[in-house]
Coordinates of all heavy atoms in Angstrom, one line a residue:
I45 N 53.3 38.2 -14.0 CA 52.1 38.7 -14.7 C 51.8 37.8 -15.9 O 51.1 38.2 -16.8 CB 52.3 40.2 -15.1 CG1 53.5 40.4 -16.0 CG2 52.2 41.1 -13.9 CD1 53.6 41.8 -16.6
V47 N 49.9 34.6 -17.8 CA 48.6 34.0 -17.7 C 48.6 32.9 -16.7 O 49.6 32.4 -16.4 CB 48.1 33.5 -19.1 CG1 48.0 34.5 -20.2 CG2 49.0 32.3 -19.6
D143 N 49.7 40.3 -25.7 CA 49.7 40.3 -24.2 C 50.8 41.2 -23.8 O 51.5 41.0 -22.8 CB 50.0 38.9 -23.7 CG 49.8 38.7 -22.2 OD1 49.1 39.5 -21.6 OD2 50.3 37.7 -21.7
K146 N 49.3 47.7 -23.1 CA 47.9 47.8 -23.4 C 47.5 48.9 -24.3 O 46.5 48.9 -25.1 CB 47.0 47.8 -22.1 CG 47.5 46.7 -21.1 CD 47.5 45.3 -21.6 CE 48.2 44.4 -20.7 NZ 48.7 43.1 -21.3
Y149 N 47.2 48.0 -28.0 CA 46.4 46.8 -28.4 C 45.7 47.1 -29.7 O 45.5 46.2 -30.5 CB 45.4 46.4 -27.3 CG 45.9 45.3 -26.4 CD1 47.1 45.3 -25.9 CD2 45.0 44.3 -26.0 CE1 47.6 44.3 -25.0 CE2 45.4 43.3 -25.2 CZ 46.7 43.3 -24.7 OH 47.1 42.2 -23.9
D169 N 44.9 39.1 -24.3 CA 44.7 39.0 -22.8 C 44.4 40.3 -22.2 O 44.7 41.4 -22.8 CB 46.1 38.4 -22.2 CG 45.9 38.0 -20.8 OD1 44.9 37.5 -20.4 OD2 46.9 38.1 -20.0
N170 N 44.0 40.2 -20.9 CA 43.7 41.4 -20.2 C 42.7 42.3 -20.8 O 42.7 43.6 -20.7 CB 45.0 42.2 -19.9 CG 46.1 41.3 -19.3 OD1 47.0 41.1 -20.0 ND2 46.0 40.9 -18.1
Ligands
LIG303 MG1 48.5 39.5 -19.8

Side-chain angles (χ1 to χ4, degrees):
I45 55 174
V47 296
D143 194 19
K146 312 310 167 198
Y149 264 44
D169 190 36
N170 309 107

